[in-house]
Amino acid sequence: MLTPRQIVDELNKYIIGQDEAKRAVAVALRNRYRRSKLPAEIRDEITPKNIIMQGPTGVGKTEIARRLAKLVDAPFVKVEATKFTEVGYVGRDVESMVRDLVEDAIRICKAKSYEQVRILAEAAAEQRLCDMLMPNAKVIKNRPPNPLQFLLGTPEPAEEPKVSEEDRQKTLDERAMILDKLRSGQLENETVEVEVEEKGSGAFFGIGVDINVQDMLGDIMPKKRKRRRISVSEARRILIQQESDRRIDMDAVTQQAVKSAEEDGIIFIDEIDKIAGSDRTNGPDISREGVQRDILPIVEGSTVNTKYGPVKTDFMLFIAAGAFHISKVSDLIPELQGRFPIRVKLRDLNEEDFYRILIQPQNAVTKQYASLLSADNVNLSFTDDAIREIAKVAYHANESSENIGARRLHTVMENLLDDISFNASGDHPVIDMKIDGAYVDKHMEKEISDDNIHKYIL
């Protein structure tokens, strides 16, 4: 388990600044590890210290929570508080966030189980592919007697004709040859017939609940299957999935996933400021205080019924976030405020922050565009003065119009590289394209002038 300092170092690879928020989430994550080392009687008394992040859009609130979950491969779900309504009204109920978290935990645990049986599943899928590619081969099938046919008095079908040793060897040689071609990739474009399950939504949306009919009925309602002719490459993927499903213990996966969701789950509640209102009305307010009161028991610790069984929320980590431009954290109902004891403020991004965002993170925007255009034989690079100019344009665009934080860089980069992205086709030799400050000034001049004009237009 990483120490708080190591967690912050990992977050620094993707997020610039916001040190206070990083420290808070790093300590919260480390405390989970510390709690797991304590005796059971003490461990059950220690609950996570939930966090509220207060800051404008695009400064890293969601990214901090998402990267935190990825560090420890923990179940993670992001929800928007504005999507919920008070119980009894049309819309999603707050308990759906817990169900979504359990679904993510199931996905993570299934992926780990698949990895454990991957070699066996791939080998079995390869043998099934081989059977499909040589359907007329003569092989002996030693089938056990059917007890149902014996009880009903139904005669056994006639025995299959015996295969000579010569035919048997011929079949084995043919099978070995097909296996060699499969492993060398020579048969990827051949077509085979595979039985697959039909994917149906089976979903029914009611008042405050999301119901899936297939999940409710389970095995009572048989799954529909159909046969499809597909390529060997696609069939291999489907068969590996089927063979993996046969080899994993779904009950064990479910049990492990529920425990992981309860102990390690992280729920990120965004836009919580939109349900915090300073106005106090006499009647019910289903979009604000009513939703807060429904969220309260989830955050306090309760048991939510899911299709995988009851799930406790006592030890889940809740991270709430909002801009709080109009409302304040103190406008939340007192009970809910008390369940988020840690509050951190994230500051606006300045020009230097934009410059660092363009060069330091492992997934920096400049690196992303360079990688994209390399697929079309364009070797894109940026000089330092170009990056400084891009940061300046993004910062002033946020100042002169709506401040959307680091997301502004995507708008600037799209406008800057529009001509290059449009004309790159990949049909030409590799082209070295260096973006310098003069190029940025020339291509962004119109955008900057338009912004200056729009400031004076009502």
Side-chain angles (χ1 to χ4, degrees):
M1 177 61 191
L2 299 174
T3 65
R5 192 177 298 277
Q6 290 172 329
I7 293 170
V8 171
D9 289 341
E10 289 296 319
L11 293 175
N12 285 338
K13 294 178 181 178
Y14 301 96
I15 302 154
I16 298 301
Q18 316 303 357
D19 295 333
E20 183 184 356
K22 291 175 184 174
R23 287 173 65 97
V25 297
V27 171
L29 193 64
R30 181 67 182 186
N31 280 342
R32 286 188 158 187
Y33 169 76
R34 293 165 177 159
R35 174 180 170 274
S36 68
K37 296 295 183 182
L38 299 177
E41 60 273 11
I42 301 176
R43 185 168 64 241
D44 292 341
E45 298 298 324
I46 299 175
T47 57
K49 305 304 180 284
N50 300 319
I51 302 167
I52 281 188
M53 295 184 184
Q54 179 180 353
T57 184
V59 297
K61 300 188 296 293
T62 305
E63 191 65 13
I64 287 174
R66 183 179 290 117
R67 293 290 174 185
L68 190 72
K70 282 187 176 181
L71 278 179
V72 290
D73 201 18
F76 173 82
V77 64
K78 174 183 179 290
V79 298
E80 292 185 12
T82 53
K83 296 293 178 66
F84 299 116
T85 59
E86 188 177 353
V87 171
Y89 295 87
V90 176
R92 298 198 78 190
D93 67 295
V94 295
E95 290 185 350
S96 63
M97 68 173 78
V98 179
R99 299 189 188 102
D100 292 342
L101 183 72
V102 177
E103 290 291 347
D104 191 61
I106 291 286
R107 178 190 60 79
I108 293 172
C109 292
K110 280 180 75 173
K112 292 178 180 177
S113 298
Y114 284 157
E115 189 60 30
Q116 293 173 357
V117 300
R118 180 177 57 84
I119 296 176
L120 291 174
E122 288 177 351
E126 187 178 70
Q127 295 299 323
R128 287 179 64 184
L129 274 175
C130 191
D131 291 337
M132 294 173 185
L133 290 166
M134 48 181 301
N136 298 322
K138 296 179 180 179
V139 293
I140 298 176
K141 297 180 181 178
N142 297 319
R143 296 178 302 176
N146 189 328
L148 184 60
Q149 289 177 335
F150 177 79
L151 290 173
L152 296 176
T154 308
E156 287 281 342
E159 291 187 4
E160 296 178 2
K162 293 185 178 180
V163 180
S164 67
E165 190 63 34
E166 183 180 349
D167 287 340
R168 184 198 296 270
Q169 189 59 47
K170 184 179 178 181
T171 299
L172 292 174
D173 292 342
E174 182 183 353
R175 190 178 187 86
M177 182 182 66
I178 291 176
L179 281 172
D180 287 339
K181 289 183 178 180
L182 272 175
R183 290 163 182 167
S184 62
Q186 298 178 39
L187 303 177
E188 294 300 289
N189 295 324
E190 296 290 326
T191 59
V192 292
E193 196 173 75
V194 179
E195 190 178 66
V196 296
E197 289 182 8
E198 281 194 83
K199 298 284 185 181
S201 67
F204 171 77
F205 299 96
I207 299 176
V209 291
D210 304 329
I211 303 172
N212 190 295
V213 178
Q214 184 71 56
D215 292 333
M216 289 174 61
L217 298 179
D219 296 331
I220 299 174
M221 195 166 124
K223 296 179 180 177
K224 294 183 179 179
R225 294 179 176 273
K226 64 178 180 180
R227 300 192 71 83
R228 290 175 51 202
R229 287 204 69 83
I230 54 179
S231 65
V232 167
S233 58
E234 187 179 354
R236 181 185 282 106
R237 179 183 58 80
I238 293 172
L239 294 175
I240 289 175
Q241 178 74 35
Q242 292 177 357
E243 293 296 331
S244 297
D245 288 334
R246 291 176 182 175
R247 284 165 172 77
I248 65 171
D249 183 354
M250 213 38 222
D251 289 337
V253 168
T254 300
Q255 186 178 359
Q256 182 183 357
V258 168
K259 182 180 178 181
S260 177
E262 290 179 339
E263 300 288 333
D264 305 322
I266 299 174
I267 295 181
F268 182 79
I269 307 175
D270 202 5
E271 306 290 353
I272 198 168
D273 57 315
K274 301 298 189 298
I275 62 170
S278 56
D279 304 338
R280 292 297 181 223
T281 58
N282 293 326
D285 186 352
I286 65 169
S287 63
R288 290 191 178 185
E289 189 166 319
V291 178
Q292 291 184 56
R293 295 199 179 280
D294 283 346
I295 291 177
L296 180 60
I298 304 294
V299 179
E300 280 184 329
S302 59
T303 301
V304 176
N305 290 319
T306 71
K307 66 182 182 183
Y308 303 105
V311 177
K312 295 173 64 178
T313 67
D314 301 64
F315 304 109
M316 294 177 183
L317 176 64
F318 292 86
I319 302 176
F324 290 99
H325 288 313
I326 300 173
S327 58
K328 304 184 293 293
V329 176
S330 57
D331 291 330
L332 294 168
I333 60 175
E335 298 92 338
L336 191 59
Q337 290 182 52
R339 290 297 168 176
F340 288 90
I342 302 176
R343 302 176 189 177
V344 292
K345 286 188 177 181
L346 287 82
R347 59 178 178 80
D348 285 328
L349 301 175
N350 56 35
E351 192 174 320
E352 183 63 25
D353 291 327
F354 280 116
Y355 172 76
R356 293 172 59 200
I357 289 170
L358 287 166
I359 60 172
Q360 288 185 11
Q362 292 185 358
N363 60 339
V365 179
T366 50
K367 298 173 185 176
Q368 292 178 26
Y369 279 95
S371 299
L372 282 173
L373 289 170
S374 66
D376 278 331
N377 293 335
V378 177
N379 187 15
L380 187 69
S381 61
F382 297 84
T383 62
D384 187 70
D385 62 326
I387 293 175
R388 291 280 183 190
E389 197 63 29
I390 294 169
K392 181 180 178 181
V393 170
Y395 174 71
H396 286 293
N398 275 348
E399 289 291 299
S400 60
S401 60
E402 189 70 27
N403 187 349
I404 59 174
R407 296 184 179 94
R408 180 69 66 183
L409 289 172
H410 292 283
T411 305
V412 174
M413 292 293 289
E414 282 291 333
N415 291 329
L416 177 65
L417 301 175
D418 179 67
D419 288 341
I420 299 173
S421 298
F422 183 80
N423 292 308
S425 62
D427 299 331
H428 44 73
V430 176
I431 299 173
D432 290 327
M433 193 64 160
K434 181 173 286 189
I435 306 296
D436 56 16
Y439 184 94
V440 177
D441 287 338
K442 178 182 177 181
H443 286 76
M444 298 305 296
E445 183 180 5
K446 181 176 182 299
E447 297 293 330
I448 296 171
S449 61
D450 285 349
D451 283 342
N452 289 334
I453 293 172
H454 287 311
K455 282 195 299 183
Y456 303 101
I457 300 176
L458 297 177

